Amino acid sequence: MARPVAVVVVVVVAAFLAGLLTSEIAAEIAQNSADFYNLGRRRLPQQSLCLELIEPSGYSCSEHKIQTKDGYLLGLQRVSSRSGDLRTQLGPPVLLQHGLFMAGDAWFLNSPEESMGFVLADQGFDVWVGNVRGTRWSHGHVSLSEDDKNFWDWSWQELAEYDLAEMIHHIYSITNSKVFIVGHSQGTIMSLAALTQPDIAEMVEAATLLCPISYLEHITAKFVLRMVNMHLDQMILAMGIHELNFRSDWGVNLLDSICDGHVDCNDLLTSITGKNCCFNNTRVDFYLDYEPHPTSTKNLHHLFQMIRKGTFSKYDYGILKNLKLYGQLKPPSYDLGLIPKSLPLLMAYGGNDDLADVEDFRHTLKELQSTPELVYLENYGHIDFIVSIKAKEDLHDRVVGFFRSWGKSSSS
């Protein structure tokens, strides 16, 4: 984007956000601020995920590149325990699928004893780490540049139907085994949508869904709700911004403009996700060396459609394009009843999660044929499920036990 246009965007959006934040939301955003609007000045990882974060902790790791049916080149990492060897890894495969504004590094941000990716590897699982299109550990597109607006023409619908589907198929074909899935946040939206497709579900042994989302009608995060109600997503799209990257020049300037003089941006994370009980504040600088990753504005718009409409549906293009693409006036819904009753599910949710609301979660449960195993952590917020310092006893042991209860993954 040319700099004059970027400046206009920053000024307009910053003024807009400043206005909507100066009321009760400003009072909610307290503690820990400067880190979040200094993102663009931070060091960006320069190497592969294996070299940058996994191998330095003593784990074997290999990089894989796969191509989706629509031409995106995704990065996958394969990890084994500190005492293991990738060439002789015999445990069942587990795919870790990250959430919004994150990538595969999210599973390795704490110590080996506290990080899901390391824990599963040490327990003998064949750990595969997914990275969706547009994140820094993936590899672009066969023909589109990241500067091309068409590169960012996707939402979680494509992440489910193309990215996750291709990851599962690749792991299944390499290992000759059905795949365990662990998804967090957007990774659960992708998983639930993908598992309604029989050809994908038949390659999956069981799934663990952390902060499971299919409906977003009752989220309570005031910062997010204000943006939804004021249609900020549509405003950004109308301005021609197709990539949401808070490490870009316009993203950094936007956050600077909001947080420097307009509103106190302390504890911005809590205002979005809910209060996280077990977040290690001493590691915030380290976390922000890796997060956030880019996503598309269209993806954010699709998520906001879910909040406004209370549906779990494909992207709504409007009546005319819906008719052209879907053959109907409204976008088709994903039918959770199509997820096989025989597919084991573990679903973990938190009492302080302002994004994956308990009422919406109950809506999801009602539509499933199966009765999932449930883990309720009363004090957990949305991010605790990834970086809690108590995760081993609260969560990881339950996930390991759940997967082991289903034995070694079935051969094809």
Side-chain angles (χ1 to χ4, degrees):
M1 177 184 301
R3 184 162 183 79
V5 178
V7 170
V8 171
V9 168
V10 167
V11 170
V12 173
V13 177
F16 173 79
L17 284 178
L20 67 89
L21 284 172
T22 49
S23 59
E24 71 270 16
I25 297 178
E28 303 250 340
I29 306 179
Q31 305 167 10
N32 239 352
S33 137
D35 292 314
F36 290 95
Y37 65 88
N38 282 325
L39 292 172
R41 304 180 182 88
R42 307 187 73 87
R43 175 188 77 86
L44 279 176
Q46 299 297 316
Q47 308 180 83
S48 68
L49 178 53
C50 284
L51 291 174
E52 183 81 25
L53 198 56
I54 298 172
E55 290 178 356
S57 295
Y59 292 75
S60 297
C61 184
S62 62
E63 295 280 347
H64 299 252
K65 184 189 294 187
I66 62 174
Q67 181 178 324
T68 66
K69 291 180 179 178
D70 56 348
Y72 288 86
L73 302 172
L74 311 180
L76 276 173
Q77 293 77 35
R78 190 180 191 182
V79 185
S80 70
S81 70
R82 284 173 284 188
S83 58
D85 185 329
L86 285 170
R87 293 170 296 182
T88 60
Q89 186 84 26
L90 298 177
V94 179
L95 171 62
L96 304 179
Q97 186 52 59
H98 62 80
L100 180 67
F101 293 120
M102 290 185 169
D105 45 47
W107 305 101
F108 303 95
L109 292 176
N110 280 349
S111 71
E113 293 72 32
E114 297 171 338
S115 300
M116 178 77 82
F118 289 135
V119 168
L120 289 173
D122 281 335
Q123 291 295 324
F125 291 93
D126 182 6
V127 176
W128 292 77
V129 186
N131 303 274
V132 302
R133 61 188 67 188
T135 57
R136 287 188 294 278
W137 306 121
S138 280
H139 307 285
H141 189 274
V142 293
S143 61
L144 297 173
S145 162
E146 291 187 16
D147 294 328
D148 188 331
K149 69 176 184 179
N150 291 323
F151 179 93
W152 300 98
D153 185 18
W154 49 265
S155 75
W156 60 258
Q157 177 179 327
E158 285 75 23
L159 301 185
E161 296 179 4
Y162 294 114
D163 292 24
L164 184 59
E166 195 61 45
M167 292 176 198
I168 292 171
H169 183 267
H170 179 80
I171 297 168
Y172 180 80
S173 63
I174 292 293
T175 63
N176 199 37
S177 293
K178 287 189 175 183
V179 182
F180 288 118
I181 295 176
V182 180
H184 173 248
S185 189
Q186 178 182 261
T188 71
I189 301 177
M190 294 165 56
S191 298
L192 289 167
L195 290 173
T196 65
Q197 310 302 309
D199 59 325
I200 298 175
E202 68 182 8
M203 293 184 284
V204 176
E205 185 76 21
T208 291
L209 306 179
L210 312 178
C211 311
I213 295 172
S214 62
Y215 293 96
L216 284 169
E217 187 176 7
H218 296 96
I219 71 165
T220 55
K222 290 184 178 180
F223 187 93
V224 176
L225 287 173
R226 275 297 180 90
M227 291 192 292
V228 169
N229 293 333
M230 301 302 290
H231 298 273
L232 182 65
D233 51 328
Q234 292 164 307
M235 178 183 293
I236 294 175
L237 278 172
M239 290 174 174
I241 300 173
H242 299 280
E243 175 191 4
L244 280 182
N245 182 2
F246 291 108
R247 294 179 186 269
S248 66
D249 287 344
W250 84 265
V252 172
N253 288 336
L254 172 59
L255 290 176
D256 275 344
S257 298
I258 296 169
C259 296
D260 187 9
H262 292 288
V263 65
D264 181 7
C265 281
N266 291 335
D267 206 7
L268 183 57
L269 185 64
T270 295
S271 75
I272 297 171
T273 68
K275 183 173 178 57
N276 296 287
C277 69
C278 310
F279 190 82
N280 187 347
N281 287 324
T282 66
R283 291 184 66 81
V284 167
D285 282 345
F286 180 76
Y287 298 155
L288 293 178
D289 280 341
Y290 294 93
E291 318 301 336
H293 287 254
T295 192
S296 71
T297 306
K298 183 177 179 179
N299 190 31
L300 188 71
H301 185 39
H302 194 176
L303 292 167
F304 282 13
Q305 286 179 352
M306 295 168 68
I307 297 171
R308 294 183 186 112
K309 300 171 184 291
T311 59
F312 183 42
S313 303
K314 296 190 177 187
Y315 187 85
D316 189 349
Y317 289 94
I319 292 175
L320 293 180
K321 195 167 182 180
N322 285 343
L323 280 170
K324 180 180 179 180
L325 293 177
Y326 306 132
Q328 56 190 63
L329 298 177
K330 295 182 179 180
S333 297
Y334 287 97
D335 183 357
L336 294 175
L338 294 177
I339 298 176
K341 186 175 183 179
S342 58
L343 181 65
L345 298 174
L346 182 148
M347 306 178 97
Y349 61 111
N352 283 333
D353 191 339
D354 285 354
L355 294 175
D357 184 80
V358 173
E359 188 169 348
D360 288 327
F361 175 57
R362 292 187 183 126
H363 187 174
T364 300
L365 290 178
K366 288 179 182 178
E367 295 197 0
L368 294 170
Q369 291 191 69
S370 62
T371 302
E373 181 175 331
L374 303 181
V375 176
Y376 176 62
L377 299 172
E378 183 177 4
N379 295 324
Y380 268 44
H382 201 71
I383 302 301
D384 284 320
F385 288 87
I386 292 291
V387 293
S388 167
I389 58 176
K390 299 170 57 183
K392 183 181 186 304
E393 58 266 33
D394 289 343
L395 186 63
H396 297 161
D397 290 345
R398 293 287 299 272
V399 173
V400 169
F402 171 70
F403 285 156
R404 283 186 171 163
S405 71
W406 294 100
K408 186 176 179 181
S409 183
S410 303
S411 298
S412 62

